[in-house]
Amino acid sequence: MWSPVSNRIAFSWLLGKARELHVMVLSDLSNKHSMGPESRVTPAGVGVYRPDCSPDGTQIVYECSEDPCDRTGGAQTYNPNIYKVDADGSDNTPFVASRYGDSYPVFSPGGGKIVLSSDRNGDEELYIKNADGSGEPQQLTYNRTRDVEPDWQPVQ
């Protein structure tokens, strides 16, 4: 995921059996610098998937398949949760952490909301939540099909 306001890229990198979230300056990629712990913004050994940058580039929201997805480690879970971390790796906190499978988080164009997929009602539907973490996720779709991989488009 390209940072919308800088020369950085955020990505999930498979290291052994775990995926970590890394943020790198593009010049490091073109100079073929090796990735090391200095580019990692999540704890080592966690299962990070589907990162998305906030419109101002200061935060990253991601799906985590470890419970809990923090520096204390934890047991593998099949119900992923959503976490939010500052782009420098500080303030890694749960955004939506529940017993349900929450996945595919995406910031709104203005940065005030995050849309995600969740199976909290028995099948995967789309939900929206305030990006500051306040409030409960509000259901957007109601059908019997699997609703995943949301994206935002400007209203015309």
Side-chain angles (χ1 to χ4, degrees):
M1 173 68 197
W2 295 97
S3 172
V5 295
S6 70
N7 63 345
R8 297 181 184 273
I9 186 170
F11 57 95
S12 174
W13 183 43
L14 181 61
L15 181 62
K17 293 184 177 185
R19 292 183 182 271
E20 301 171 343
L21 180 62
H22 286 255
V23 175
M24 291 186 70
V25 177
L26 295 180
S27 62
D28 288 349
L29 296 173
S30 63
N31 293 330
K32 298 183 177 21
H33 290 221
S34 63
M35 286 189 301
E38 68 280 354
S39 68
R40 186 178 59 232
V41 297
T42 56
V46 298
V48 172
Y49 297 89
R50 301 174 185 92
D52 189 58
C53 290
S54 62
D56 65 4
T58 62
Q59 296 182 316
I60 301 168
V61 65
Y62 64 93
E63 175 184 328
C64 181
S65 64
E66 297 284 330
D67 186 16
C69 191
D70 61 22
R71 300 201 190 297
T72 63
Q76 180 70 26
T77 179
Y78 294 105
N79 293 321
N81 289 311
I82 307 297
Y83 281 71
K84 193 168 62 168
V85 63
D86 290 343
D88 66 2
S90 63
D91 198 24
N92 188 32
T93 57
F95 180 71
V96 178
S98 67
R99 63 184 177 96
Y100 305 104
D102 300 311
S103 58
Y104 298 96
V106 181
F107 276 99
S108 66
K113 303 282 184 181
I114 293 175
V115 66
L116 58 112
S117 177
S118 179
D119 65 2
R120 63 189 61 228
N121 285 337
D123 97 277
E124 289 181 280
E125 299 288 349
L126 299 183
Y127 289 77
I128 191 169
K129 184 174 175 173
N130 295 329
D132 66 6
S134 66
E136 291 298 314
Q138 301 298 309
Q139 191 169 347
L140 293 175
T141 59
Y142 297 85
N143 56 60
R144 292 183 181 205
T145 61
R146 183 174 178 242
D147 296 331
V148 295
E149 299 185 53
D151 198 2
W152 292 85
Q153 297 297 319
V155 176
Q156 303 267 343

